[in-house]
Amino acid sequence: MKTLPLRLVPGQDLRAALAEVLAAHGTQAGFVLQGIGSLRGARLRLAGAAQATQVEGDIEILTLAGSLSPDGPHLHMSVADAAGRVLGGHVLAGCTIRTTAEILIALLPGHRFAREADPASGFDELVVHSHDC
């Protein structure tokens, strides 16, 4: 495992930036271990919801975690608004960095992650492939 501390800057899309990490570092598997920072609004898909929830205004990232694969990131995040209300769910495109996002990523060079249809869940789920380093 190789750790990668990362800082995203104002205006970057959180999900899009994390989707580029693996290719930029020549690996095919990784995890977002944790992240904090601030956003100018966020788009989250809440548990069991079919549609996105838009969170408006300046918000703080309390937690950010997930997996990174060449098929795209699978990220969960909890955020708080200026009144301290907390909401969490799947990270969608449209989460724009306000001041910073400080993220710790674990790159796994001996593995390849993929997302494949799982008949039991009905979703594309993580499949872990190991290979010699």
Side-chain angles (χ1 to χ4, degrees), residues 93-131:
C95 298
T96 305
I97 306 301
R98 182 170 60 91
T99 61
T100 192
E102 301 163 5
I103 302 166
L104 180 60
I105 296 172
L107 300 174
L108 306 172
H111 296 81
R112 180 175 55 85
F113 288 171
R115 294 245 160 231
E116 296 176 11
D118 182 320
S121 73
F123 293 98
D124 288 344
E125 301 291 1
L126 181 67
V127 177
V128 177
H129 301 277
S130 298
H131 56 272

Side-chain angles (χ1 to χ4, degrees), residues 12 24 27 47 53 62 65 67 91 101 108 121 126:
Q12 284 185 284
T27 59
T53 295
L62 303 177
S67 59
V91 176
L108 306 172
S121 73
L126 181 67

Side-chain angles (χ1 to χ4, degrees), residues 59-77:
I59 56 177
E60 294 291 327
I61 300 170
L62 303 177
T63 62
L64 172 67
S67 59
L68 304 174
S69 77
D71 297 327
H74 178 201
L75 305 166
H76 291 195
M77 177 170 65

